[in-house]
Every structure is written in C-alpha cells, then in structure tokens.
Amino acid sequence: MSGGSPEVEPSIAGLTSKLESRRGPVKVQLNTWVLASTEARLKWLVKNRQFTVTSVVDVALQELLDRYDVPPADPDGRIGEQ
C-alpha cells in the first residue's frame, strides 16, 4: 500500500482480514438507501480493494452492533434470552 501513512495501514490490514470472502453462514437480503457520496465511496472500495459489497456492509454493521453492545445472534439469526 504505497502512499499510506503508517498509522492507517495497521487498521486497513485488520479490516482486510475481516473482509475476506467467507462461505457457510446463512445470508438474508437487506435493502436500504444510502447517500450518493456513501455509495461512491463503497464502489471505490470494492473496485480498488477487490472486496464485495456484501462483505463491506456486513463488517461495518458488525462493528457498529458490537460498539453498541448488541448481543450476538446464532448462525440462524436468533438472539438468545437476555
């Protein structure tokens, strides 16, 4: 990653491992609207880092849900009793 600052590269490396293609878990369709500027940035990331939209959205949502202490769900999408 030429041109990147040393402070940013470790963060990108950590995200890259999370964005790797994974098979197995059940997936469901999620339809939503985003700002045009967000879509442009997402398209850039997908094109220039060769990720998929699905993996980027999933990682971003997982990180947000973790930040707000939302309990984890099982592979079938169920959250246990709290």
Side-chain angles (χ1 to χ4, degrees):
M1 280 180 238
S2 63
S5 68
E7 302 85 40
V8 175
E9 289 183 14
S11 175
I12 290 172
L15 285 177
T16 300
S17 65
K18 291 180 183 179
L19 292 169
E20 297 299 325
S21 176
R22 292 181 256 167
R23 295 182 184 247
V26 175
K27 294 180 182 176
V28 297
Q29 186 172 356
L30 175 67
N31 294 316
T32 189
W33 291 87
V34 297
L35 297 173
S37 57
T38 301
E39 181 195 32
R41 294 176 74 199
L42 178 59
K43 285 181 175 182
W44 184 95
L45 182 64
V46 167
K47 179 182 175 187
N48 291 287
R49 298 287 192 249
Q50 299 178 345
F51 299 136
T52 64
V53 171
T54 298
S55 63
V56 172
V57 170
D58 190 58
V59 167
L61 285 172
Q62 291 292 338
E63 289 185 3
L64 177 71
L65 295 169
D66 289 347
R67 184 179 311 150
Y68 285 97
D69 298 320
V70 175
D74 68 19
D76 293 321
R78 293 184 297 264
I79 296 178
E81 296 284 328
Q82 296 298 309

